[in-house]
Amino acid sequence: MSNRISLIDGQQRTTTFVLLLKALLVRLQEILSNINSDEDTASLIDGLKDRRNIIIDILYKTDADNRREILNNWSLVKGKSIIENRSINELKEYKYELQIILEATDYKEAENKCYKIPRRQKDNKYTNFFRNFKFFYEKLLGYSESQVNAFAKAFLKECHIIEIRSWNTDQAITMFNSLNSTGMPLSDADIISAQMYSHAGEGKTMYMENWEFITRTANSLNARRIINIDSVLQQYMYIQRAEDRVYITDGNQPDVTVPGLRRYYTIDQKSLLKQPLELCEKFGKIVRIWDAIKDYPIVKLLLKFNDNTKIYLISYLNRYELEEIEEGVIIPLAECLLRLFTVLELVDAGYSSSRFKTFLFGENVKLVDRNISIDVITKDFTEHINKQWTRWDIQNSITEYDKNILVYLNEYLYSKTRGLYFNFDDTVNIEHIMPASGHNIETIRQDAGIETREEFASVVNLLGNKILLEEDINKSISNDWFKTKKQKSVKEKTGYKDSKYNIARALVDFPRDLWTKKDIEDATLKVAERISNFIFGII
């Protein structure tokens, strides 16, 4: 029978404890190598050796005999340790960091052999394993020989580990949640992945490879603020519940109550976890889809609005094979979601109201069904919007809108109606055509026919005064006169000419050199009409 024990709770504390012991061992070895042996230091040296020997016995499972062999030949510690990182949520490059540190002869060897994260600077280039080890080691460097000895004595005497064993994974997790109720709980993904692993049987190796791919891809997408691993689990739950039609009640009204992830996977649908390889395939499809579509302009635009848009987009795309998905497949549904979530941006009601969440839950049953065409879904959105809101109210709200998300939508719609290419960089800036601030602002305001600061404040942030513009150009020209902006080129970082953004480029041909309050109001009315036409299905 294996003598290995899996840690359900205490991985971080145990790892931290081991790293501190290793840092302490390295310092003890350094002190013993450099300290002068004489009558005055004999007692201190004995104490340092005693503490060193205890730590070696703990870290490398030694006794007096083989400890002596290790001290004479440090390479004998290879493969000896009391803790092994077998986390299925850890990236491959990080998995052996703890072992590398434990096997190192000294600090320099550990630093040289540990993984360096590409394109990171200073301490950020190290993994958390080495950063913690480095922190402890450098703290100990600040202590004298006697202080290190006193610390080691107190630490080894006063630090206690309480072990609670269970031979059943489910029971161990339950015990963990009870014991750790006041600490940091395991994430839903940690709990769910552990149970999937326990059901993998002979397929554990394949499961771990699949789960690592899912985790790695989700981490990469999370860096772009698209999805993380818990989002993957949540999105599959929505897909599965829609396919099972659990949203639809006897009254044919969608039930918008949603179970937590842990309850759904470990209680409501615990049979899913008994087929871990099949479930990994489902999760893997979700991350592959997001990875394939993340740079499509329409997707980037949609994700500017509301995180909940992701649930319905992935539900729809999951009906397709990965190779079938291209931007033309995405645009019709993405535009439906844009229309509804633009209304959400403009009205007082929240996402949880029946006009939004209830409708979308009901529609999700259709989104996952490949037999229901996008034309039917588009019609549902158009009818719902026209039934719930009036075009006049929405258009009026747009004329008063002073935030930034709809600036992106306006650029998209302007480009779409003219057959022009649309995209935007992550670093794009919102440009105020009439500057919102700056040392010339009083003169610019007067030239624009605006008499008071209150009047200026009422128009400067309207949609008609905002466009997208390259970041570096915006920083250079944001406070300049309109005449200067429209005459200069982005190539010199001084104007709108040659900008990749279509509205900025169009302003170069504006017939006057002044941009006035009336120009802002007229442009705002055009934007309001353009966006309201889109919302109500007119374009």
Side-chain angles (χ1 to χ4, degrees):
M1 185 177 74
S2 173
N3 60 358
R4 292 173 183 249
I5 297 174
S6 297
L7 276 171
I8 296 296
D9 179 24
Q11 297 98 328
Q12 291 179 345
R13 278 165 288 188
T14 304
T15 302
T16 303
F17 176 75
V18 169
L19 288 170
L20 177 52
L21 281 176
K22 177 63 179 181
L24 188 52
L25 175 60
V26 170
R27 278 300 295 136
L28 290 169
Q29 290 280 71
E30 290 174 349
I31 293 171
L32 287 166
S33 297
N34 295 308
I35 195 169
N36 292 323
S37 179
D38 54 38
E39 186 176 335
D40 293 334
T41 61
S43 177
L44 174 60
I45 290 173
D46 288 342
L48 291 168
K49 286 182 177 178
D50 286 345
R51 267 103 244 180
R52 177 198 64 187
N53 293 343
I54 292 171
I55 294 174
I56 290 175
D57 288 349
I58 293 172
L59 292 181
Y60 307 110
K61 298 176 285 190
T62 59
D63 53 30
D65 293 331
N66 50 16
R67 184 195 319 125
R68 188 175 299 105
E69 294 176 2
I70 285 175
L71 287 170
N72 291 326
N73 181 8
W74 194 257
S75 65
L76 293 176
V77 304
K78 303 293 183 184
K80 290 179 175 288
S81 67
I82 59 169
I83 184 170
E84 180 182 357
N85 181 11
R86 303 189 70 190
S87 171
I88 58 177
N89 294 314
E90 197 85 70
L91 296 181
K92 262 182 187 174
E93 293 87 349
Y94 302 178
K95 273 195 173 181
Y96 304 105
E97 289 289 279
L98 180 60
Q99 193 64 26
I100 289 169
I101 294 168
L102 291 176
E103 293 178 357
T105 305
D106 52 30
Y107 175 83
K108 198 66 180 175
E109 181 183 339
E111 183 180 33
N112 289 337
K113 290 186 175 180
C114 278
Y115 182 73
K116 312 296 188 300
I117 303 172
R119 296 179 295 279
R120 297 278 185 89
Q121 301 297 319
K122 299 183 180 179
D123 279 359
N124 289 328
K125 68 184 175 183
Y126 299 118
T127 65
N128 286 336
F129 292 103
F130 186 80
R131 288 171 69 179
N132 283 314
F133 171 67
K134 181 174 183 283
F135 173 82
F136 293 138
Y137 174 77
E138 290 179 345
K139 281 287 185 183
L140 291 166
L141 279 177
Y143 294 165
S144 67
E145 291 91 339
S146 58
Q147 286 175 324
V148 170
N149 183 53
F151 173 77
K153 181 180 180 180
F155 182 64
L156 293 170
K157 181 180 179 182
E158 302 298 335
C159 186
H160 300 281
I161 296 175
I162 300 172
E163 178 186 311
I164 302 174
R165 293 195 184 191
S166 171
W167 306 111
N168 179 280
T169 302
D170 290 341
Q171 182 188 53
I173 292 172
T174 300
M175 290 167 62
F176 162 78
N177 284 330
S178 176
L179 290 168
N180 203 45
S181 60
T182 60
M184 180 179 291
L186 288 174
S187 70
D188 292 326
D190 289 333
I191 296 289
I192 292 164
S193 64
Q195 295 208 14
M196 291 169 69
Y197 179 79
S198 70
H199 289 298
E202 295 180 357
K204 280 184 168 61
T205 300
M206 183 177 292
Y207 167 73
M208 289 175 66
E209 290 174 355
N210 292 343
W211 186 258
E212 182 182 5
F213 165 77
I214 294 165
T215 304
R216 179 190 295 274
T217 310
N219 286 343
S220 175
L221 292 166
N222 190 37
R224 296 272 302 270
R225 298 182 180 179
I226 297 173
I227 56 166
N228 58 27
I229 188 62
D230 280 343
S231 302
V232 175
L233 273 59
Q234 180 197 51
Q235 289 174 14
Y236 179 72
M237 177 182 72
Y238 273 85
I239 292 168
Q240 189 63 45
R241 280 166 55 84
E243 289 178 347
D244 293 341
R245 299 180 67 84
V246 297
Y247 299 150
I248 307 303
T249 63
D250 292 338
N252 209 37
Q253 283 295 313
D255 179 2
V256 298
T257 57
V258 181
L261 285 182
R262 198 171 302 185
R263 174 185 162 183
Y264 179 76
Y265 284 100
T266 64
I267 299 175
D268 294 356
Q269 295 294 326
K270 59 184 178 182
S271 60
L272 290 172
L273 303 184
K274 295 179 180 178
Q275 304 295 327
L277 294 180
E278 289 82 348
L279 191 54
C280 268
E281 187 177 340
K282 305 291 187 183
F283 295 157
K285 183 178 181 181
I286 289 173
V287 296
R288 285 185 175 92
I289 290 174
W290 281 115
D291 196 43
I293 70 172
K294 64 182 182 296
D295 292 319
Y296 285 146
I298 191 68
V299 173
K300 290 161 62 178
L301 174 61
L302 182 63
L303 299 190
K304 278 282 180 185
F305 277 75
N306 188 295
D307 271 354
N308 289 298
T309 60
K310 300 171 187 177
I311 295 168
Y312 307 104
L313 181 61
I314 197 65
S315 290
Y316 176 70
L317 295 181
N318 191 67
R319 63 160 72 178
Y320 294 97
E321 297 300 323
L322 189 62
E323 58 270 16
E324 294 179 296
I325 298 173
E326 43 84 24
E327 194 166 21
V329 170
I330 300 171
I331 288 174
L333 191 274
E335 288 193 345
C336 286
L337 293 170
L338 277 171
R339 292 162 61 196
L340 187 60
F341 280 90
T342 298
V343 175
L344 180 61
E345 179 73 9
L346 293 166
V347 300
D348 291 334
Y351 166 74
S352 295
S353 75
S354 61
R355 293 181 172 187
F356 297 100
K357 190 174 182 180
T358 304
F359 166 75
L360 287 164
F361 267 50
E363 207 63 23
N364 211 33
V365 175
K366 297 181 180 180
L367 294 176
V368 299
D369 188 345
R370 186 158 186 157
N371 294 317
I372 298 178
S373 72
I374 187 60
D375 291 338
V376 171
I377 293 166
T378 301
K379 183 181 178 183
D380 286 348
F381 274 82
T382 301
E383 289 180 350
H384 175 72
I385 290 170
N386 279 275
K387 180 180 178 181
Q388 297 295 331
W389 297 279
T390 68
R391 189 168 180 272
W392 187 90
D393 286 337
I394 293 299
Q395 189 163 328
N396 190 55
S397 295
I398 299 171
T399 62
E400 298 173 355
Y401 182 85
D402 61 2
K403 290 180 282 188
N404 290 336
I405 291 177
L406 296 192
V407 180
Y408 293 84
L409 179 62
N410 183 48
E411 179 78 25
Y412 171 71
L413 296 175
Y414 178 90
S415 303
K416 177 184 173 72
T417 55
R418 287 161 175 77
L420 301 173
Y421 177 72
F422 164 83
N423 200 356
F424 60 92
D425 298 325
D426 292 339
T427 56
V428 65
N429 271 189
I430 302 297
E431 153 77 358
H432 287 76
I433 305 170
M434 177 185 292
S437 61
H439 61 276
N440 296 321
I441 194 63
E442 288 299 321
T443 305
I444 291 174
R445 178 172 61 78
Q446 291 170 11
D447 287 348
I450 300 175
E451 296 181 358
T452 65
R453 293 184 180 182
E454 291 74 17
E455 186 181 9
F456 172 76
S458 71
V459 298
V460 73
N461 285 310
L462 295 180
L463 285 172
N465 194 46
K466 292 178 181 177
I467 59 172
L468 299 185
L469 194 66
E470 288 85 346
E471 180 184 37
D472 53 350
I473 305 164
N474 176 261
K475 289 180 178 178
S476 300
I477 71 168
S478 61
N479 297 328
D480 280 342
W481 274 270
F482 177 62
K483 178 181 179 180
T484 303
K485 293 179 180 183
K486 78 183 194 110
Q487 288 179 344
K488 302 288 185 173
S489 171
V490 299
K491 294 177 181 178
E492 290 83 35
K493 298 183 180 179
T494 53
Y496 296 161
K497 283 184 180 180
D498 309 308
S499 171
K500 66 181 287 184
Y501 300 105
N502 295 311
I503 298 177
R505 210 163 51 244
L507 283 170
V508 172
D509 297 322
F510 192 75
R512 295 185 304 280
D513 290 337
L514 279 179
W515 183 255
T516 67
K517 176 187 175 184
K518 186 177 186 306
D519 294 319
I520 294 174
E521 292 171 341
D522 290 346
T524 300
L525 290 174
K526 287 182 181 179
V527 174
E529 183 176 14
R530 182 181 297 131
I531 293 178
S532 62
N533 283 346
F534 171 69
I535 290 171
F536 287 90
I538 297 172
I539 60 169

